[in-house]
Amino acid sequence: MDQTRQVKVMAYITAICLLGDSMLYVVLPTHWEEIGLTSLWEVGILLSVNRLIRLPLGPLIGWIYRKMSIRTGLLIAILLSVITTTSYGLFSTFWLLLIMRCMWGIAWSLLRLGSYFAILDASTEQNRGHLMGTFNGLYRLGSLFGMLLGGIFADFVGLELVAKILGFLALLALPLLPLVTIQSTGKGSGSEIAAVGPRLLFLKDRSVLFTFVTSLVVTMLFQGMFISILSYVIESNNPHINLLGVGIGAASLAGILQAIRWGWEPFLAPRFGKLSDGGNKRLILLAASLFITAFLFAMVPMDISFGLWLLVLMGIQLMATVLTTVMDAIALDVAQRTSRVAVMTGFTVITDLGAAIGPTLGYFMVSVLGLEITYWVAAGIWLILWGTWHFSGRKILGYLPYEKGVEQVS
């Protein structure tokens, strides 16, 4: 099986496992009483604990992949997905559901790190962006269908039955498992800095440092702040929304915009990834995307026509696709040249941290600074990142010789 098909199989497995989790994000806020919850704060904890648990467990999962094959990790993740998704329709106790959400956090870490290690083994710097974009675009179909199917059918048959159905569907990932032939562990055959731990590597190697910082900002401002306050932004700028003569709520429009992104990602993410492959194309695309993103963020609070304003929001969604794909590919490039396990484990922790703190940071900034200043501050951060990568990117990524004292083992 060729490399692209291998990556597609892993993306399909991940998407199937993701159905139940994605369903929960749209269904639980309105159907929480059906499964025995007594307050909305319990809903918030259940929807966030899976991310928080990944922060301390990330390094442990990375270490475990040194000891076992990728296929074994995926098998455990699939079984955990079946158990946790089904449990949403079986349990009506907050503490049991909390344990299940923690188990899903473990499953997601196994899926994500296993996929990263597999793509590292299957790719070169000439096709890594394309393979990473292919994986990102396809696995997010799980989010799209999980939210759409879950949201529609939960209103007709209830959360419990939908959870059981999606839990059963998660079993469909098992027949795909034998098709995963990449069996190496996170050790890999590339250059390793075995004597340097993740924290020391983070401090010593500029490519690791700047990749981590940029990825933190990308996930914090896109996955965290932008998505979480999108409904509020839409309602603040346009309290009475009318599309083609039909009134529509801010939450509905935010959901439509997000669904459009998930719909185009299977087609656009691989193309942007392929566009970044070869030479310094990845760096050029990164710098250009950061500059465009800064411009678009600065336009959000401006007094412009509703149609143009919607195009700005769509443009931000497009840049999120580009930057997420490019930064994932750069992280894999850096990991291949330094330490696979240390870098990819740290990368997953950093991006999880950004997604976790982004919503809180976004609402805090809006409450303190106001919507206009918040977006202009964010635009300023994007400009700083653009300047850093535009003027120093070649040196950061090692296109120019490393400074003395930074060990690089080949």
Side-chain angles (χ1 to χ4, degrees), residues 161-195:
L161 183 56
V162 169
K164 292 174 183 177
I165 293 173
L166 294 182
F168 175 77
L169 289 178
L171 290 170
L172 296 178
L174 288 174
L176 296 176
L177 200 56
L179 300 178
V180 178
T181 59
I182 302 175
Q183 290 300 305
S184 64
T185 65
K187 294 178 183 179
S189 57
S191 50
E192 287 284 333
I193 304 179

mmCIF file of all heavy atoms in Angstrom, residues 161-195:
data_model
loop_
_atom_site.group_PDB
_atom_site.id
_atom_site.type_symbol
_atom_site.label_atom_id
_atom_site.label_comp_id
_atom_site.label_asym_id
_atom_site.label_seq_id
_atom_site.Cartn_x
_atom_site.Cartn_y
_atom_site.Cartn_z
ATOM 1 N N LEU A 161 -29.690 7.110 22.800
ATOM 2 C CA LEU A 161 -29.709 6.222 21.643
ATOM 3 C C LEU A 161 -28.657 6.625 20.618
ATOM 4 O O LEU A 161 -27.984 5.759 20.032
ATOM 5 C CB LEU A 161 -31.096 6.220 20.999
ATOM 6 C CG LEU A 161 -31.278 5.270 19.797
ATOM 7 C CD1 LEU A 161 -30.934 3.841 20.186
ATOM 8 C CD2 LEU A 161 -32.707 5.365 19.256
ATOM 9 N N VAL A 162 -28.490 7.926 20.406
ATOM 10 C CA VAL A 162 -27.472 8.396 19.461
ATOM 11 C C VAL A 162 -26.080 7.949 19.911
ATOM 12 O O VAL A 162 -25.272 7.498 19.101
ATOM 13 C CB VAL A 162 -27.524 9.935 19.324
ATOM 14 C CG1 VAL A 162 -26.313 10.451 18.552
ATOM 15 C CG2 VAL A 162 -28.797 10.359 18.620
ATOM 16 N N ALA A 163 -25.796 8.053 21.216
ATOM 17 C CA ALA A 163 -24.492 7.639 21.739
ATOM 18 C C ALA A 163 -24.258 6.150 21.509
ATOM 19 O O ALA A 163 -23.152 5.731 21.124
ATOM 20 C CB ALA A 163 -24.408 7.969 23.228
ATOM 21 N N LYS A 164 -25.272 5.342 21.728
ATOM 22 C CA LYS A 164 -25.125 3.897 21.518
ATOM 23 C C LYS A 164 -24.886 3.577 20.050
ATOM 24 O O LYS A 164 -24.064 2.716 19.719
ATOM 25 C CB LYS A 164 -26.370 3.173 22.028
ATOM 26 C CG LYS A 164 -26.543 3.231 23.541
ATOM 27 C CD LYS A 164 -27.872 2.636 23.975
ATOM 28 C CE LYS A 164 -28.075 2.764 25.476
ATOM 29 N NZ LYS A 164 -29.401 2.251 25.910
ATOM 30 N N ILE A 165 -25.588 4.271 19.167
ATOM 31 C CA ILE A 165 -25.404 4.041 17.728
ATOM 32 C C ILE A 165 -23.993 4.421 17.291
ATOM 33 O O ILE A 165 -23.314 3.667 16.576
ATOM 34 C CB ILE A 165 -26.452 4.834 16.924
ATOM 35 C CG1 ILE A 165 -27.852 4.269 17.177
ATOM 36 C CG2 ILE A 165 -26.130 4.787 15.427
ATOM 37 C CD1 ILE A 165 -28.960 5.097 16.563
ATOM 38 N N LEU A 166 -23.535 5.596 17.721
ATOM 39 C CA LEU A 166 -22.187 6.039 17.344
ATOM 40 C C LEU A 166 -21.117 5.160 17.984
ATOM 41 O O LEU A 166 -20.046 4.943 17.402
ATOM 42 C CB LEU A 166 -21.988 7.505 17.732
ATOM 43 C CG LEU A 166 -22.850 8.523 16.981
ATOM 44 C CD1 LEU A 166 -22.513 9.942 17.423
ATOM 45 C CD2 LEU A 166 -22.667 8.389 15.469
ATOM 46 N N GLY A 167 -21.384 4.656 19.185
ATOM 47 C CA GLY A 167 -20.458 3.721 19.813
ATOM 48 C C GLY A 167 -20.330 2.440 19.006
ATOM 49 O O GLY A 167 -19.236 1.898 18.829
ATOM 50 N N PHE A 168 -21.464 1.963 18.476
ATOM 51 C CA PHE A 168 -21.434 0.780 17.607
ATOM 52 C C PHE A 168 -20.680 1.080 16.316
ATOM 53 O O PHE A 168 -19.898 0.259 15.830
ATOM 54 C CB PHE A 168 -22.868 0.332 17.302
ATOM 55 C CG PHE A 168 -22.943 -0.806 16.321
ATOM 56 C CD1 PHE A 168 -22.664 -2.103 16.721
ATOM 57 C CD2 PHE A 168 -23.286 -0.566 14.993
ATOM 58 C CE1 PHE A 168 -22.732 -3.164 15.808
ATOM 59 C CE2 PHE A 168 -23.353 -1.608 14.081
ATOM 60 C CZ PHE A 168 -23.076 -2.906 14.489
ATOM 61 N N LEU A 169 -20.904 2.281 15.755
ATOM 62 C CA LEU A 169 -20.221 2.648 14.511
ATOM 63 C C LEU A 169 -18.705 2.719 14.694
ATOM 64 O O LEU A 169 -17.956 2.488 13.736
ATOM 65 C CB LEU A 169 -20.751 3.997 14.006
ATOM 66 C CG LEU A 169 -22.175 4.011 13.449
ATOM 67 C CD1 LEU A 169 -22.564 5.424 13.026
ATOM 68 C CD2 LEU A 169 -22.307 3.053 12.273
ATOM 69 N N ALA A 170 -18.252 3.031 15.919
ATOM 70 C CA ALA A 170 -16.813 3.096 16.175
ATOM 71 C C ALA A 170 -16.144 1.744 15.940
ATOM 72 O O ALA A 170 -14.942 1.675 15.650
ATOM 73 C CB ALA A 170 -16.551 3.581 17.594
ATOM 74 N N LEU A 171 -16.924 0.663 16.045
ATOM 75 C CA LEU A 171 -16.384 -0.673 15.770
ATOM 76 C C LEU A 171 -15.958 -0.830 14.316
ATOM 77 O O LEU A 171 -15.157 -1.709 13.987
ATOM 78 C CB LEU A 171 -17.419 -1.745 16.122
ATOM 79 C CG LEU A 171 -17.721 -1.951 17.616
ATOM 80 C CD1 LEU A 171 -18.923 -2.864 17.775
ATOM 81 C CD2 LEU A 171 -16.498 -2.532 18.330
ATOM 82 N N LEU A 172 -16.510 0.025 13.431
ATOM 83 C CA LEU A 172 -16.160 -0.057 12.016
ATOM 84 C C LEU A 172 -14.698 0.289 11.762
ATOM 85 O O LEU A 172 -14.178 0.020 10.671
ATOM 86 C CB LEU A 172 -17.063 0.879 11.203
ATOM 87 C CG LEU A 172 -18.560 0.551 11.206
ATOM 88 C CD1 LEU A 172 -19.328 1.589 10.406
ATOM 89 C CD2 LEU A 172 -18.804 -0.839 10.645
ATOM 90 N N ALA A 173 -14.030 0.892 12.749
ATOM 91 C CA ALA A 173 -12.609 1.195 12.588
ATOM 92 C C ALA A 173 -11.746 -0.064 12.686
ATOM 93 O O ALA A 173 -10.627 -0.099 12.162
ATOM 94 C CB ALA A 173 -12.174 2.212 13.639
ATOM 95 N N LEU A 174 -12.252 -1.097 13.348
ATOM 96 C CA LEU A 174 -11.455 -2.320 13.543
ATOM 97 C C LEU A 174 -11.074 -3.011 12.231
ATOM 98 O O LEU A 174 -9.914 -3.425 12.070
ATOM 99 C CB LEU A 174 -12.197 -3.290 14.461
ATOM 100 C CG LEU A 174 -12.267 -2.889 15.943
ATOM 101 C CD1 LEU A 174 -13.144 -3.858 16.716
ATOM 102 C CD2 LEU A 174 -10.861 -2.847 16.545
ATOM 103 N N PRO A 175 -12.000 -3.154 11.255
ATOM 104 C CA PRO A 175 -11.591 -3.799 9.996
ATOM 105 C C PRO A 175 -10.526 -3.031 9.221
ATOM 106 O O PRO A 175 -9.852 -3.611 8.362
ATOM 107 C CB PRO A 175 -12.909 -3.849 9.195
ATOM 108 C CG PRO A 175 -13.994 -3.784 10.206
ATOM 109 C CD PRO A 175 -13.448 -2.900 11.293
ATOM 110 N N LEU A 176 -10.388 -1.744 9.515
ATOM 111 C CA LEU A 176 -9.367 -0.940 8.829
ATOM 112 C C LEU A 176 -7.978 -1.151 9.429
ATOM 113 O O LEU A 176 -6.964 -0.861 8.783
ATOM 114 C CB LEU A 176 -9.726 0.548 8.899
ATOM 115 C CG LEU A 176 -11.012 0.986 8.193
ATOM 116 C CD1 LEU A 176 -11.272 2.462 8.448
ATOM 117 C CD2 LEU A 176 -10.927 0.714 6.696
ATOM 118 N N LEU A 177 -7.923 -1.661 10.660
ATOM 119 C CA LEU A 177 -6.652 -1.757 11.375
ATOM 120 C C LEU A 177 -5.625 -2.630 10.659
ATOM 121 O O LEU A 177 -4.442 -2.261 10.594
ATOM 122 C CB LEU A 177 -6.907 -2.276 12.790
ATOM 123 C CG LEU A 177 -5.822 -2.017 13.834
ATOM 124 C CD1 LEU A 177 -5.505 -0.526 13.933
ATOM 125 C CD2 LEU A 177 -6.268 -2.542 15.189
ATOM 126 N N PRO A 178 -6.001 -3.798 10.105
ATOM 127 C CA PRO A 178 -4.991 -4.611 9.401
ATOM 128 C C PRO A 178 -4.368 -3.919 8.194
ATOM 129 O O PRO A 178 -3.303 -4.332 7.728
ATOM 130 C CB PRO A 178 -5.799 -5.854 8.969
ATOM 131 C CG PRO A 178 -6.936 -5.926 9.919
ATOM 132 C CD PRO A 178 -7.291 -4.504 10.208
ATOM 133 N N LEU A 179 -5.029 -2.877 7.676
ATOM 134 C CA LEU A 179 -4.489 -2.149 6.533
ATOM 135 C C LEU A 179 -3.342 -1.220 6.924
ATOM 136 O O LEU A 179 -2.641 -0.699 6.058
ATOM 137 C CB LEU A 179 -5.598 -1.338 5.857
ATOM 138 C CG LEU A 179 -6.787 -2.141 5.316
ATOM 139 C CD1 LEU A 179 -7.828 -1.199 4.713
ATOM 140 C CD2 LEU A 179 -6.328 -3.153 4.283
ATOM 141 N N VAL A 180 -3.177 -0.985 8.239
ATOM 142 C CA VAL A 180 -2.066 -0.151 8.713
ATOM 143 C C VAL A 180 -0.825 -1.024 8.785
ATOM 144 O O VAL A 180 -0.685 -1.869 9.668
ATOM 145 C CB VAL A 180 -2.378 0.456 10.097
ATOM 146 C CG1 VAL A 180 -1.185 1.280 10.589
ATOM 147 C CG2 VAL A 180 -3.624 1.312 10.035
ATOM 148 N N THR A 181 0.079 -0.843 7.840
ATOM 149 C CA THR A 181 1.278 -1.686 7.767
ATOM 150 C C THR A 181 2.507 -1.020 8.352
ATOM 151 O O THR A 181 3.557 -1.643 8.458
ATOM 152 C CB THR A 181 1.560 -2.074 6.308
ATOM 153 O OG1 THR A 181 1.741 -0.884 5.522
ATOM 154 C CG2 THR A 181 0.404 -2.879 5.743
ATOM 155 N N ILE A 182 2.392 0.248 8.694
ATOM 156 C CA ILE A 182 3.519 0.942 9.330
ATOM 157 C C ILE A 182 3.565 0.501 10.782
ATOM 158 O O ILE A 182 2.701 0.848 11.576
ATOM 159 C CB ILE A 182 3.356 2.474 9.248
ATOM 160 C CG1 ILE A 182 3.240 2.907 7.797
ATOM 161 C CG2 ILE A 182 4.537 3.174 9.912
ATOM 162 C CD1 ILE A 182 2.945 4.386 7.636
ATOM 163 N N GLN A 183 4.555 -0.268 11.137
ATOM 164 C CA GLN A 183 4.584 -0.866 12.465
ATOM 165 C C GLN A 183 5.719 -0.359 13.342
ATOM 166 O O GLN A 183 5.925 -0.859 14.427
ATOM 167 C CB GLN A 183 4.703 -2.390 12.338
ATOM 168 C CG GLN A 183 3.445 -3.037 11.790
ATOM 169 C CD GLN A 183 2.246 -2.771 12.680
ATOM 170 O OE1 GLN A 183 2.257 -3.052 13.868
ATOM 171 N NE2 GLN A 183 1.204 -2.200 12.099
ATOM 172 N N SER A 184 6.477 0.616 12.858
ATOM 173 C CA SER A 184 7.583 1.114 13.675
ATOM 174 C C SER A 184 7.041 1.897 14.860
ATOM 175 O O SER A 184 5.921 2.378 14.846
ATOM 176 C CB SER A 184 8.510 2.008 12.847
ATOM 177 O OG SER A 184 7.826 3.156 12.429
ATOM 178 N N THR A 185 7.856 2.055 15.877
ATOM 179 C CA THR A 185 7.463 2.824 17.042
ATOM 180 C C THR A 185 7.935 4.252 16.890
ATOM 181 O O THR A 185 8.465 4.642 15.867
ATOM 182 C CB THR A 185 8.087 2.223 18.319
ATOM 183 O OG1 THR A 185 9.511 2.367 18.217
ATOM 184 C CG2 THR A 185 7.744 0.763 18.469
ATOM 185 N N GLY A 186 7.776 5.023 17.920
ATOM 186 C CA GLY A 186 8.209 6.415 17.892
ATOM 187 C C GLY A 186 9.707 6.602 17.837
ATOM 188 O O GLY A 186 10.183 7.704 17.668
ATOM 189 N N LYS A 187 10.472 5.527 17.977
ATOM 190 C CA LYS A 187 11.927 5.666 17.932
ATOM 191 C C LYS A 187 12.380 6.147 16.575
ATOM 192 O O LYS A 187 13.189 7.029 16.444
ATOM 193 C CB LYS A 187 12.596 4.328 18.252
ATOM 194 C CG LYS A 187 12.359 3.853 19.681
ATOM 195 C CD LYS A 187 13.012 2.501 19.882
ATOM 196 C CE LYS A 187 12.749 1.955 21.273
ATOM 197 N NZ LYS A 187 13.349 0.632 21.498
ATOM 198 N N GLY A 188 11.861 5.506 15.539
ATOM 199 C CA GLY A 188 12.185 5.926 14.190
ATOM 200 C C GLY A 188 13.614 5.613 13.821
ATOM 201 O O GLY A 188 14.410 5.099 14.593
ATOM 202 N N SER A 189 13.964 5.920 12.583
ATOM 203 C CA SER A 189 15.306 5.667 12.094
ATOM 204 C C SER A 189 16.040 6.954 11.792
ATOM 205 O O SER A 189 17.178 6.946 11.359
ATOM 206 C CB SER A 189 15.238 4.823 10.804
ATOM 207 O OG SER A 189 14.447 5.491 9.839
ATOM 208 N N GLY A 190 15.390 8.077 12.017
ATOM 209 C CA GLY A 190 15.997 9.375 11.754
ATOM 210 C C GLY A 190 16.926 9.778 12.865
ATOM 211 O O GLY A 190 17.257 9.033 13.778
ATOM 212 N N SER A 191 17.397 11.016 12.803
ATOM 213 C CA SER A 191 18.341 11.487 13.804
ATOM 214 C C SER A 191 17.657 11.650 15.145
ATOM 215 O O SER A 191 16.564 12.166 15.247
ATOM 216 C CB SER A 191 18.940 12.830 13.358
ATOM 217 O OG SER A 191 17.942 13.717 12.981
ATOM 218 N N GLU A 192 18.291 11.186 16.189
ATOM 219 C CA GLU A 192 17.769 11.253 17.551
ATOM 220 C C GLU A 192 18.792 11.918 18.452
ATOM 221 O O GLU A 192 19.989 11.681 18.336
ATOM 222 C CB GLU A 192 17.487 9.833 18.101
ATOM 223 C CG GLU A 192 16.279 9.157 17.509
ATOM 224 C CD GLU A 192 14.983 9.714 18.068
ATOM 225 O OE1 GLU A 192 14.969 10.214 19.206
ATOM 226 O OE2 GLU A 192 13.985 9.653 17.360
ATOM 227 N N ILE A 193 18.328 12.753 19.347
ATOM 228 C CA ILE A 193 19.200 13.304 20.373
ATOM 229 C C ILE A 193 18.812 12.606 21.665
ATOM 230 O O ILE A 193 18.057 13.124 22.483
ATOM 231 C CB ILE A 193 19.063 14.824 20.492
ATOM 232 C CG1 ILE A 193 19.320 15.472 19.130
ATOM 233 C CG2 ILE A 193 20.030 15.388 21.508
ATOM 234 C CD1 ILE A 193 19.189 16.970 19.134
ATOM 235 N N ALA A 194 19.280 11.394 21.802
ATOM 236 C CA ALA A 194 18.813 10.528 22.879
ATOM 237 C C ALA A 194 19.171 11.078 24.250
ATOM 238 O O ALA A 194 18.463 10.864 25.224
ATOM 239 C CB ALA A 194 19.391 9.129 22.701
ATOM 240 N N ALA A 195 20.282 11.791 24.320
ATOM 241 C CA ALA A 195 20.743 12.249 25.632
ATOM 242 C C ALA A 195 20.080 13.546 26.063
ATOM 243 O O ALA A 195 20.272 14.006 27.181
ATOM 244 C CB ALA A 195 22.261 12.437 25.600
#
